[in-house]
Amino acid sequence: IGDLNTLLTNDKTSTVNAINELYNKIDDSLVVYMPITQDLTPNTYASGNCTVFITNSRKIIMIDSGAWHSWTEIHGELMKLGINHIDYFLLSHFHADHYSNIPSLISDGYIDADTIAYMPRLNGITPPDEDDEATVRGYLSICTDQRVFSSDNPLVVDDMHFDFFNCDKSDYDYYNSINSTYNNYSVCAYVTYKNTKILMPADIMSDAMTYLV
């Protein structure tokens, strides 16, 4: 989408603004990337990932929830968009800058029993820098329908099609042989909407991302 060179910058604010500018050009503005955190400081979690997809029948798909200190911003954006419920919540991996707003989403009623939750299956893998997977699964136990990402089972909601990659242990093992880090356990989504295709690589590292592409 657009000129990816505009995203290759160490300035986090400029990068996020560039991403949002590109997303705003997508048909019907149905994709919203959040948040635009301006006050990042060293040695803290980044703003994390939080992306909302809105289908033509107003079904809401959220990928990741962002870091805890970006909740006010994310909540404000959801209110501006008139969103009061998340129909599908997809968690790419169990790192705090991707999951730590789940309790707020639940307490404010965005995620409830009717939300369909997708989470990775780590098959007993315990990376050294893993955050508390059990806690996150506990949060999302409120969801009656909990699913595991699979490359064989895409998610189709109205006019949007989500394919998933990096879902299996063999993928993790290969990516980690390239660059060993828990970020390479991120599930990646390839989203198709009309003539637009979006790759959501979560936090996989650059070498692994090159392989994925």
Side-chain angles (χ1 to χ4, degrees):
I1 305 174
D3 181 4
L4 293 183
N5 287 327
T6 63
L7 306 183
L8 301 179
T9 171
N10 292 323
D11 182 338
K12 292 183 176 66
T13 300
S14 296
T15 299
V16 173
N17 286 337
I19 293 172
N20 278 320
E21 182 180 350
L22 294 176
Y23 276 8
N24 287 335
K25 296 177 181 178
I26 294 174
D27 295 335
D28 302 329
S29 298
L30 292 186
V31 185
V32 181
Y33 178 89
M34 303 180 291
I36 309 175
T37 300
Q38 305 290 340
D39 58 350
L40 297 179
T41 56
N43 304 315
T44 64
Y45 281 116
S47 57
N49 295 65
C50 182
T51 306
V52 171
F53 293 83
I54 308 171
T55 74
N56 58 359
S57 69
R58 291 289 298 180
K59 293 291 185 183
I60 307 300
I61 303 102
M62 177 181 281
I63 300 181
D64 293 330
S65 71
W68 64 269
H69 56 73
S70 58
W71 171 244
T72 299
E73 204 164 1
I74 291 173
H75 190 208
E77 290 297 320
L78 292 173
M79 293 177 67
K80 282 197 296 185
L81 291 166
I83 295 172
N84 53 29
H85 183 258
I86 305 299
D87 297 290
Y88 297 83
F89 179 75
L90 284 57
L91 181 67
S92 64
H93 63 298
F94 299 101
H95 265 171
D97 56 334
H98 293 254
Y99 74 67
S100 59
N101 284 320
I102 293 175
S104 296
L105 288 164
I106 293 172
S107 64
D108 284 7
Y110 291 102
I111 292 178
D112 60 16
D114 294 327
T115 301
I116 298 174
Y118 279 77
M119 289 174 280
R121 175 188 288 137
L122 294 187
N123 298 318
I125 300 169
T126 307
D129 59 344
E130 180 184 18
D131 282 303
D132 194 352
E133 177 186 349
T135 298
V136 180
R137 293 193 183 279
Y139 294 153
L140 292 177
S141 65
I142 190 175
C143 304
T144 302
D145 191 343
Q146 299 174 49
R147 304 179 183 180
V148 175
F149 290 109
S150 169
S151 301
D152 299 324
N153 292 304
L155 170 64
V156 180
V157 185
D158 295 339
D159 50 351
M160 291 191 180
H161 191 285
F162 296 74
D163 286 295
F164 303 116
F165 299 91
N166 200 28
C167 303
D168 304 314
K169 187 175 184 302
S170 58
D171 296 324
Y172 304 151
D173 288 345
Y174 184 79
Y175 284 16
N176 276 313
S177 71
I178 299 174
N179 189 334
S180 183
T181 167
Y182 181 59
N183 282 331
N184 281 339
Y185 288 77
S186 303
V187 170
C188 307
Y190 183 62
V191 188
T192 304
Y193 168 71
K194 296 184 179 179
N195 294 320
T196 301
K197 296 175 173 62
I198 307 168
L199 178 63
M200 309 288 294
D203 275 357
I204 63 171
M205 306 304 286
S206 58
D207 292 341
M209 193 183 301
T210 300
Y211 171 77
L212 174 68
V213 171

